[in-house]
Structures are given as structure tokens and as C-alpha cells.
Amino acid sequence: MKMRLGLLAVGLLALVFSCAPQKTPGPQVGKKPAVAHPELSPQEKLIACSDCHRTETPEIYREWYQSRHGIAMVKCFQCHGTFETFHQPTRETCRTCHAKAYDNCPKDKVCWECHTPHAFKRHQ
Amino acid sequence: MGMTRRQFIKRTAALTAASLVGVELPKIEKAAQAADVEEWHPGVCRFCGVGCRVYLGLKKGKPVAIKGIPESATNKGYLCMKGMLFYRIIHHPERLTKPLYRERKDQPFREISWEEALRIAARKFAETVVKYGPDATAYYGSGQALTEETYLFQKIMRGGLGTNNVEGNPRLCMASAVGGYLTSFGADEPIGSYADIEKAYCFFIIGSNMAECHPVIFRRVMNRKFAKPNEVKVINADPRVSPTSRIADLHLQFRPGTDLALLNAMAYVIIEEGLYDQEFIQKYCKFKIGKPPKDVTFEEYKEFLKQYTPERAAEICGGNITPEKIRTAARWFATSKATMSLWTMGINQRSRGVWANNLIHNLHLLTGQLCKPGADSFSLTGQPNACGGVREGGGLCHILPAHRPVKIDKLRHQVEDLWGIPRGTIPPKPGYHTIAMFRAVNQGKIKALWVNCTSPAQSLPNCDFYRKGLAREDLFLVVTDIFPTKTTELANLVLPTAFHFEKTGVYGCTERRSQLTVKVVDPPREAKPEVWIVREWALRMAEEFERLGDRRRAENLRICVKPFLGKEEGYELPKAIWEEYTQKLTKGRDNDLSGATYEVLKQRPDGVQWPAPTKEHALKGGTYKKFVRGIDPLAEEEGRKLGISGPYVFYGPAHKDHKLYLWLRPYKGAAEEPDAEYPFYLSTGRVIDHWHTSSMTGRIPELLRANPYAYVEINPKDAARLGIKPNDMVEIETRRGKIVLPAKVYEGPIQGMVFIYWHDMAEERMANRVTKDAFDPGSKEPEFKICACRIRKVSGPRPLKPYVVGHKI
Ligand code: SF4
């Protein structure tokens, strides 16, 4: 069980990280996130983010799973990058798919100020 | 860092939540793409048959991003993760960049020049033709090749060498859909379009895990369902509960291969309850049985269906099917304001794939759920250009360009005349279909084979058997591709090709839509567009034939490439090929694309849906729905010529009576059903993260990580009975071999069935080493979806490594 949890945690991390914007991975990502993901072994890096986060952050997992993103299989790494490139998404990340919303929404706010993160309901 | 993983995750979660209430977010990195990109270039996605439009972003001439095009009629800005990330392939360090050659397959490859490579390929093919006859050579292509490429390859094989041994991997995925459309409607390819999705009120999704295999189209279906949750019904029929089932109001889970009984039972209910459209049937349909087809009456059809009462069908289908569920499905299907069926490989990859297609069409014909907005019988294509290049461009052994069957003298002579080669050059006999072709390789009948942009060593069913043939020393194997694959491992000559956006050409997606992608970056080092490779190869073959004293073939080859001489390869050459194909070959045919010139395609960001016989019509986007007067110009024209009144004209070339056929097709099981020795059904399929053999997606870290290796899905009840726990290593054994995979225990597959993803290249996990190569007698499409297997636990969890040929993981 311990091992499983470890694995889970690993996957979680990977998940959080793996949702990076559509950018070349690696050094050019820029500033480090405020919180670093714990180190993962190569094997752990091969676990899908959601596998760990399902138990480690069940609220977030559930929000995502039940959202349109979850049903349409928009996975963690599409917004947060991989383990190596993990970052919080930006407006630009969302723009990859939501160009119209990007143009219509206020420019001084990040998307999830109005659209609940992970659930992405239209408005809070 | 002093923080446990659990703490870290909690903290991350807290930060995310904090953003909700306006607490300062952690610093965000600089904008990922748009800010970095200097130019955006429009094109189409490289992967599945959906045909999403994308912008490729360049910085200093280097691809750095992709984004969806919001105005696109197809994807409305959305992309799945494969589409978003394929730009990483363009400058991937593992690309093939030099021609590689070895005389014997036990030798290492050595780099050679293009001149040497082309000479070798030309000499081998020419000598084979002279020594063993043209049918000892073959071309095996791909639904991922551009239309221009498929067209030119088959022109050289048929018009130059004189063989119909021209095949492509769409035989493995779409052939049964072709067979179904031709026999039911008299014309290949769907009548309607994706635009029907937003007008449909009932979706009948059968044998398709759209959520993973056609994600962006699934998203449109999902949005439609959520927009009108009570009015729109979704029926999902599948032996496996998949992510697609999440939007279903009704899931029909049946024993694999029994859907023929289910579909007939739905027809039974429609008739029994008087839900059919008598007027539509009377005006437009005929009932048919057997081979050669015989006419039967509606009464005889009714009598035939008596074997498939919902009660009887529920017994055959097993699983969670009840007579009441069948009745509900039939009622929703028949009575909705508009019903759209969607299916893919679960229906096609079967030994009765054509029949299964016919039975779906039957439901639409019975109920008149066709030709009106939102109603259609819509098969989804697996590859980006299976429809355009291979089905329309003549990339299969029995068809010439623009839906012309090889065996019809008049149509074959038309092609010879249009190409300017003597009549009689193209043989009337179709060549080897895919399985027959690789069996012929095994038997030593084929001596020179060109494989383009596909990897049969991994993608053929029962592939170990066929790999023996590909490894034969007396087979000269040329492979054109962008990365090393399981097939390049068996080649004599490996030729590096240009990738998407490194060359120009057209992809034709599921909905008869042709879209142009123009070259914007150069291929790496010495990689070349296929059209250049074929032209140069053909010219050198002409010299070889001359040398060998076969003046006729030398002359034909020169005639075949003459219109393309001296053209620059990145744009002019494919443009000239497209012009010949559309202006000469498709003109006057049902897939008339003569209005869709490169100029028009560049002006039409969403491409053009055929038929598009004039530029005016093409500039409006072409034809959203075939056969409907006022929408389809050919319906108007043919209706006038044939003196047919009414709103619909079914001018499909295969039905001379211009009728739609309802077929009496009995239930028949799979070629190999479970028995005492092999008690489980084995089925295979795809995941959202990987594209086919994963030679491309396996090299993109995010995609590899998301699904690094295949696993076997086992129903919890079966797992409990066999003492299998999640992640245990499980051996899957069929009559063809064994593989060992980690177990995923969940309520996906029906009890008695296991399911494997087929993208994994590792020998011990490669699904097609155990699948069966039985095929549909009509379409010749193999039955990938069903065979019998046994399973046993071999150990507890083991660390595994992903594996992609030539990839430095
Ligand atoms: S759905 Fe298909 S065409 Fe669209 S982005 Fe994904 S792989 Fe590409």
C-alpha cells in the first residue's frame, strides 16, 4: 500500500506537471513554480498524473473528471505540462483551444478567476 | 525541500483553490506560445481522420507551437493532445535523414547517396518485373500519405509497371465501411457531414470509442448532448464500457460479435411497432438478399426478421442486453427528429464487417433517417487521408482513381486514355489485397515490395507470421518513412521522407472534405517528399527497362511522369499531380473535385467537400450533403438526366437502378470464438494519446508518459476468479502466440472479454503478435477486433520500460 501511495504521489506530480502549455519542454519554461514537485524516479514518471491525484487530491480529480474537460479527455498535461515542465497554466495555454473566449474575456484576469478551475463551469 | 509528497500535493491543491478567491497566484511563466511565435501557418492535423485545422507557429523558421483554428468548421479551435503536440516531430533528433542500404538483411545499414538509392530501387524493381513478371512487385501505402503521393505511386505501379498490386493500410480499417456504403447506397463515403451533429437528436454510437479515437468529433457530440440534455439521446452499443459511454443515456453491452443480431432486432422492433417510413422505403429502397443479389419483398424481410425478436436477440447478445433495452434503442432511433449513427473499427474490423455496416444502414433506410439535417449513417475514418488518398485516389488493389473498379473495362480504359498510355497496359484483374499480398510475400511470390508511411510488421494481425516473409532474403524491401519502425528493421533500403508542413499536399477527411497543407519548413538534411522520390525512381526505372530491353515499359513510365518533369518538389510538383488527378480523373465522377484547385483550396480555409464540379461551388465549400437537390449539384444534374423527380437523387455509380438497398443479413459469429481451450474474447483498440504504431507519438514525452506501454483490461469478476490483481503481469495466449502485459482491472470489458491497446512496440507486449488474420470475404478487412485467448497471471507487478524502435528513452 505504501508503495502504491508512493506511486500515486508520483503520478500526481506528473499529472500536475504534465499539463504544460504547448511549448517545447525543458529549460526555456522559465521561472520555477512556487512549489516544486517531489522528485520522481524514472518509473514513477511513467504513471499518469491522474492515477495519483485521484486519491491524493480527490476534490480536484473529481472536479476535473466530471467537467467537460474530463469527459472530453483533456488530460492534466495539456494544461500543466509534464513533470519537467510543470507550471500553472496561463491565459495563453487556454487560448490553444479557446481562442474566441480569449478574445472575449477581460484581458487583465486569468481565465480561472471567472471559470472555476478544473470544473471550468462557465462562470463562478 | 522538507515537504512530503502528500504535503506537496495538498499545497498545490490549496494554491489552485486560492486562485478562486482572488488570492495571489504563484508567478506564472511567460506566455507559452503566442508570444514566442513569429508566424502562424494554416494546415491540417497530421493524425486521425477528423481533419482538425491547425496553425503551425514558427519562430526563426522553427516550429514552436500549434493551435486550433477557432473559425474551423471541423474542430472550432479544439485539438486533442496529439494534434497539439505534433510539431515536436518536425525537428525531432531521431528523424531519418539519409538513405540507408544493406544488400542482405543480416548486414548493418550504411548511408548512401540519393542517386545510389534510387538506382538500386530502380534496378531491383525493373529486374524483378523482367524476371518474374510485374505481379512479383507490389506497393503498400497508407491512409496517412497525401493524395498526391498515393495517386502517383499507384500510377507508376499500374501505368508504368503494369500491376494492380497497389494496396494500403486503409484495407485494415476502412474497407468494410467502403463495402457497406457501396452495397447499401451504391456510392462510397458518407452522405452527410459533421455539421449534422449539431442538428441530430439521437446518436447511435456503435463499435466506436470516439472519446479516444475521434476526440474532437466526440467533443461536438458531447456539446450537443449537454446543450439539450433531455431532448438529445445518446445510445452507445459496445462490448466495452469506454470513455465514450460517459455521455450515453443507454449503454448496450453485448457479447463481442453479436451486434448483427442486435441490429436486426432493432429493425424487427421498428417494423413491429410501425415506426418505419413507408414512403421513403417505397420511393427509394429495394430489399436484397445473397450473392448474386436477389430482390425480395418487404414481407419476406419481415419474415426474415422473425428470427431476431428482441427476446431472441437478447439471448444471443448476452451481457446486459434486455429485450426492453433493444426496444428503447429502436424507438429512440426511429422516432427522434434526426438520428445520426457513428461507428469505427468495432464494426469494420470483423469477418462480417460489411454486413454489420449494411445492418446499420438498414435502420436508416427503414426509418428515412437520411438526407435530412441531422440524420445520417456516418462512418468515422481512422486516418487523415484514408478517404481522400486511398479510397478516392485509387490506392487499393481493386480500384483506380475516382472510384473506378479495375475490372470494369470501360472505366479502366478511361484511365489509360487519360494517362496517355496504351489500352491494355493496366491489367483487368485486381491485385493482391493486403492479407493476400503479405501471404504472397511469405510464399516468395513477391520479390520487390515498397512500403510507404506505414508499418505492417507491427500493424498486420498475426504479425509474427508475416514478419517471417518480410525478413526473407529474397524479398527486396524498400521503406519510406520519417522514423525507424518495426518495418524498417526488416528493410533493405530505408528512404527518409519529408513530414507534414515540410511538403505540400491534400488530406481528405471523413466528411469528404479535402484540405490543403502547404510546405512552410524544409525537411531535415536529406529527407525528401515522396512525390519527388517516386518521380525520380520512375525515371531511373525507365532507364533500367531500356537496358533490359523492355522498351514498352520504359516508354509507359516516361509517359506517366512526363507532366511532372522539371517541377520544383515542395509545391509545384504536388500541385501538378493534384491538377491531373482532379481535372482529369475526378471530372464527371461522383467524387468530382475539379472545382477544388490549389488556388481554391488556399482561398477556402476549411477546404472543399466533394462533389465540387465547379469552382463556384467549391468556393462555397462544396457539398454538405450528397444526393439532395439544392445542395448537391450532381443530384440536380443527374436527376435531370435520368428524369428523376423528388428531393433526392441516388446517383451512386454502383447501383444502376438508383435505389438504396436494404439487405437481409443473418447473424454470424466471429471466425474464432472462445472455447474450452481459449475461453476469453480478445479485442484490441487505441488510446487517445497514441497514434497507431506510436512511432511518432511515442517520441513525444507527454504522450509517451500518458500511456507508456500497453496493458490488458480485465473485468473485475474474471480477475477475481483468476486471482489477478491490478498491475499483476498477465500472459495472454492465443493460437498464434503469447504476450505478457500488466493488468488493469476495471468494469470496461464485458465479463469473458479482455482488451489490449495495440500501439506498444515492445516484443513482449505487441498486441498484433496474437490477433487473428481472418478477414471479411467481401471487404478483405481483417478481424482485429475478435479472437479467442486464455489468460493467466505470471507474476506480481514488475517495473516496465516503454519501447519505441530507435528512440532514446
Ligand atoms: S482529433 Fe484527430 S485530427 Fe483532431 S487534433 Fe486530435 S488527432 Fe488531430
Side-chain angles (χ1 to χ4, degrees):
Chain A
M1 184 63 198
K2 221 172 170 189
M3 180 186 161
R4 184 134 202 260
L5 266 181
L7 284 179
L8 267 176
V10 171
L12 258 181
L13 283 174
L15 192 156
V16 176
F17 287 122
S18 69
C19 296
Q22 312 327 306
K23 177 156 175 75
T24 318
Q28 66 265 61
V29 165
K31 287 178 189 158
K32 287 229 177 322
V35 183
H37 200 285
E39 269 309 305
L40 298 177
S41 72
Q43 191 69 30
E44 286 171 333
K45 284 181 192 170
L46 294 172
I47 298 169
C49 320
S50 57
D51 275 2
C52 290
H53 282 265
R54 188 179 300 148
T55 49
E56 296 301 304
T57 58
E59 331 69 46
I60 295 177
Y61 175 83
R62 214 174 310 118
E63 266 185 342
W64 165 78
Y65 185 74
Q66 286 165 1
S67 71
R68 288 185 182 215
H69 273 187
I71 295 173
M73 303 196 75
V74 177
K75 294 189 179 178
C76 314
F77 71 79
Q78 282 179 269
C79 308
H80 294 281
T82 61
F83 177 73
E84 294 87 345
T85 63
F86 170 71
H87 56 273
Q88 294 282 348
T90 65
R91 289 184 83 233
E92 291 298 331
T93 317
C94 304
R95 187 193 205 176
T96 303
C97 286
H98 301 282
K100 276 187 206 144
Y102 178 94
D103 290 339
N104 295 339
C105 287
K107 305 281 174 286
D108 57 342
K109 288 181 178 173
V110 287
C111 309
W112 44 94
E113 264 187 64
C114 303
H115 305 275
T116 320
H118 298 117
F120 297 106
K121 293 258 164 38
R122 251 155 224 256
H123 286 283
Q124 263 190 74
Chain B
M1 156 167 82
M3 195 191 285
T4 66
R5 282 170 182 165
R6 184 175 279 270
Q7 282 167 335
F8 161 79
I9 288 156
K10 293 276 187 225
R11 171 119 167 80
T12 314
L15 282 171
T16 315
S19 68
L20 279 177
V21 287
V23 175
E24 203 191 350
L25 284 163
K27 272 276 183 239
I28 292 166
E29 299 90 350
K30 203 167 135 272
Q33 10 171 318
D36 292 341
V37 170
E38 291 164 355
E39 331 153 29
W40 290 104
H41 294 274
V44 193
C45 173
R46 170 61 180 75
F47 294 117
C48 85
V50 171
C52 295
R53 274 176 64 206
V54 300
Y55 278 125
L56 176 73
L58 299 186
K59 185 180 185 183
K60 296 199 183 98
K62 248 192 102 161
V64 290
I66 277 183
K67 64 179 181 183
I69 300 187
E71 303 77 34
S72 156
T74 303
N75 52 314
K76 302 176 192 295
Y78 299 123
L79 295 175
C80 76
M81 51 272 249
K82 298 187 291 294
M84 281 175 172
L85 293 169
F86 84 77
Y87 70 92
R88 301 266 187 81
I89 294 167
I90 298 178
H91 283 171
H92 199 286
E94 289 161 14
R95 287 280 301 273
L96 293 165
T97 55
K98 285 279 273 178
L100 303 170
Y101 175 64
R102 57 183 177 184
E103 203 171 327
R104 292 183 50 85
K105 287 173 185 165
D106 53 8
Q107 293 171 339
F109 282 107
R110 65 180 169 90
E111 290 185 357
I112 57 171
S113 69
W114 267 109
E115 187 51 37
E116 206 184 335
L118 292 162
R119 290 256 164 233
I120 292 168
R123 196 182 63 238
K124 287 284 182 184
F125 272 75
E127 283 175 357
T128 301
V129 169
V130 169
K131 200 161 167 198
Y132 302 101
D135 289 342
T137 63
Y139 166 74
Y140 186 68
S142 170
Q144 296 162 65
L146 295 164
T147 301
E148 294 80 348
E149 294 163 359
T150 299
Y151 174 79
L152 190 57
F153 262 119
Q154 63 88 37
K155 186 180 184 189
I156 296 306
M157 294 301 293
R158 291 184 153 119
L161 303 190
T163 177
N164 285 315
N165 285 345
V166 171
E167 266 286 286
N169 60 15
R171 177 75 69 187
L172 308 180
C173 62
M174 297 310 305
S176 296
V178 177
Y181 277 124
L182 283 173
T183 48
S184 290
F185 302 146
D188 189 21
E189 304 198 30
I191 294 173
S193 300
Y194 300 145
D196 287 308
I197 292 171
E198 283 76 25
K199 298 173 190 128
Y201 285 86
C202 175
F203 293 97
F204 182 55
I205 306 170
I206 180 162
S208 171
N209 178 13
M210 290 177 74
E212 296 199 70
C213 302
H214 295 91
V216 166
I217 289 308
F218 175 77
R219 202 178 176 118
R220 285 177 64 172
V221 175
M222 175 191 89
N223 285 341
R224 174 68 180 165
K225 168 71 189 161
F226 290 166
K228 291 184 183 292
N230 301 323
E231 277 176 77
V232 171
K233 297 286 183 208
V234 178
I235 307 163
N236 186 201
D238 205 303
R240 177 171 169 250
V241 177
S242 72
T244 303
S245 324
R246 292 191 64 199
I247 60 162
D249 297 278
L250 180 61
H251 188 92
L252 300 169
Q253 196 175 19
F254 50 84
R255 212 160 49 83
T258 58
D259 45 4
L260 277 77
L262 169 73
L263 293 161
N264 273 328
M266 285 172 69
Y268 174 93
V269 175
I270 287 166
I271 292 177
E272 187 198 31
E273 300 191 3
L275 305 175
Y276 54 97
D277 184 338
Q278 201 159 7
E279 198 191 325
F280 188 89
I281 298 171
Q282 238 159 23
K283 267 199 185 153
Y284 302 112
C285 304
K286 274 188 176 172
F287 295 88
K288 296 269 178 185
I289 192 168
K291 199 174 175 191
K294 249 183 38 201
D295 282 340
V296 288
T297 62
F298 181 58
E299 290 309 315
E300 283 171 289
Y301 178 55
K302 253 171 94 173
E303 196 55 36
F304 162 82
L305 289 177
K306 280 192 181 150
Q307 317 160 63
Y308 303 104
T309 60
E311 288 69 24
R312 174 83 188 99
E315 258 173 54
I316 299 172
C317 293
N320 70 12
I321 301 249
T322 60
E324 206 33 53
K325 281 190 180 174
I326 298 176
R327 286 183 198 280
T328 305
R331 285 175 200 142
W332 286 355
F333 190 106
T335 60
S336 97
K337 279 186 257 176
T339 298
M340 187 170 189
S341 295
L342 298 146
W343 70 95
T344 328
M345 303 318 152
I347 290 292
N348 296 337
Q349 290 179 332
R350 301 266 298 283
S351 59
R352 289 292 161 190
V354 175
W355 289 10
N357 273 266
N358 288 146
L359 293 188
I360 299 171
H361 298 319
N362 276 4
L363 298 177
H364 286 270
L365 299 183
L366 271 180
T367 54
Q369 293 281 13
L370 213 61
C371 294
K372 57 181 188 180
D376 200 30
S377 191
F378 194 86
S379 124
L380 293 161
T381 315
Q383 299 184 82
N385 203 27
C387 287
V390 178
R391 279 155 83 169
E392 295 154 22
L396 294 170
C397 68
H398 65 294
I399 47 165
L400 294 163
H403 297 158
R404 290 178 175 90
V406 160
K407 59 180 187 216
I408 299 180
D409 294 346
K410 189 178 134 207
L411 298 177
R412 198 176 60 254
H413 293 328
Q414 264 177 16
V415 174
E416 289 164 337
D417 294 350
L418 292 167
W419 284 348
I421 53 173
R423 287 191 175 191
T425 304
I426 305 174
K429 193 169 163 266
Y432 292 119
H433 60 81
T434 296
I435 293 293
M437 182 180 279
F438 288 96
R439 284 184 186 169
V441 167
N442 273 16
Q443 292 159 357
K445 289 183 187 159
I446 290 179
K447 305 283 185 199
L449 171 66
W450 192 306
V451 173
N452 179 38
C453 192
T454 182
S455 181
Q458 185 181 353
S459 61
L460 288 173
N462 192 11
C463 64
D464 277 355
F465 177 65
Y466 297 105
R467 285 198 286 180
K468 284 185 200 133
L470 290 169
R472 281 175 73 120
E473 272 305 338
D474 59 351
L475 172 77
F476 177 73
L477 179 60
V478 185
V479 181
T480 21
D481 215 320
I482 64 162
F483 285 126
T485 66
K486 295 298 270 187
T487 307
T488 60
E489 287 185 326
L490 301 166
N492 296 92
L493 188 59
V494 178
L495 303 178
T497 55
F499 184 61
H500 209 49
F501 282 103
E502 294 170 350
K503 57 190 177 185
T504 300
V506 175
Y507 274 163
C509 75
T510 302
E511 54 168 356
R512 295 173 281 103
R513 187 185 294 277
S514 299
Q515 302 181 97
L516 177 69
T517 302
V518 176
K519 177 186 165 178
V520 291
V521 283
D522 286 328
R525 293 176 66 195
E526 293 182 34
K528 285 284 194 183
E530 282 91 323
V531 286
W532 177 87
I533 298 172
V534 189
R535 181 187 68 189
E536 299 304 309
W537 171 57
L539 286 171
R540 282 159 189 80
M541 269 200 299
E543 287 170 23
E544 290 294 329
F545 278 116
E546 200 87 60
R547 180 179 65 81
L548 295 163
D550 190 339
R551 304 278 304 269
R552 183 172 59 91
R553 280 201 174 78
E555 179 60 12
N556 285 347
L557 278 164
R558 289 196 177 110
I559 295 170
C560 286
V561 291
K562 191 161 172 240
F564 315 125
L565 296 180
K567 306 263 182 221
E568 173 277 325
E569 72 218 37
Y571 186 82
E572 276 183 11
L573 174 57
K575 183 171 184 280
I577 298 169
W578 178 254
E579 252 161 43
E580 174 175 300
Y581 167 60
T582 54
Q583 306 309 311
K584 286 190 175 175
L585 276 295
T586 74
K587 203 174 194 65
R589 299 293 299 165
D590 70 327
N591 73 323
D592 197 327
L593 271 157
S594 47
T597 60
Y598 266 25
E599 286 74 24
V600 170
L601 289 172
K602 279 208 264 182
Q603 279 179 59
R604 279 283 323 159
D606 276 329
V608 173
Q609 289 181 278
W610 61 257
T614 62
K615 276 194 186 168
E616 294 69 49
H617 188 64
L619 279 167
K620 287 188 216 137
T623 303
Y624 142 70
K625 224 172 238 285
K626 280 195 297 181
F627 303 141
V628 181
R629 275 210 158 98
I631 296 175
D632 175 355
L634 294 191
E636 201 61 64
E637 194 186 314
E638 294 296 315
R640 226 183 2 254
K641 264 198 247 160
L642 301 163
I644 298 174
S645 58
Y648 312 138
V649 183
F650 296 106
Y651 57 80
H655 290 181
K656 296 286 165 245
D657 55 6
H658 311 292
K659 296 285 187 198
L660 308 176
Y661 297 167
L662 266 135
W663 286 93
L664 281 64
R665 304 291 200 202
Y667 160 64
K668 202 165 185 311
E672 186 183 73
E673 295 271 353
D675 53 22
E677 238 186 309
Y678 296 92
F680 281 87
Y681 283 105
L682 168 66
S683 194
T684 61
R686 276 171 51 194
V687 278
I688 191 168
D689 320 274
H690 286 294
W691 173 248
H692 289 188
T693 61
S694 71
S695 67
M696 291 182 278
T697 50
R699 291 172 219 266
I700 299 177
E702 289 90 331
L703 299 178
L704 182 72
R705 293 261 173 82
N707 258 299
Y709 28 71
Y711 44 79
V712 53
E713 290 180 356
I714 305 173
N715 185 287
K717 288 195 181 120
D718 292 324
R721 195 163 46 82
L722 297 165
I724 296 168
K725 296 200 186 60
N727 299 321
D728 280 349
M729 297 304 292
V730 174
E731 181 186 86
I732 314 294
E733 185 179 3
T734 71
R735 290 186 172 85
R736 291 149 296 280
K738 296 174 187 176
I739 49 176
V740 177
L741 302 150
K744 179 174 178 179
V745 178
Y746 97 121
E747 300 272 0
I750 197 170
Q751 233 183 306
M753 168 193 182
V754 294
F755 185 89
I756 305 174
Y757 301 126
W758 75 272
H759 64 263
D760 202 325
M761 286 190 190
E763 282 292 317
E764 64 279 16
R765 300 186 295 263
M766 215 163 85
N768 280 324
R769 293 182 55 213
V770 297
T771 51
K772 182 148 177 60
D773 51 355
F775 55 83
D776 183 297
S779 68
K780 318 292 191 252
E781 178 164 345
E783 190 155 57
F784 285 95
K785 288 294 177 188
I786 310 172
C787 68
C789 75
R790 58 185 172 216
I791 61 174
R792 72 179 179 94
K793 173 176 165 172
V794 290
S795 76
R798 262 201 330 238
L800 295 168
K801 271 200 165 169
Y803 174 73
V804 175
V805 174
H807 182 35
K808 295 157 198 79
I809 293 167

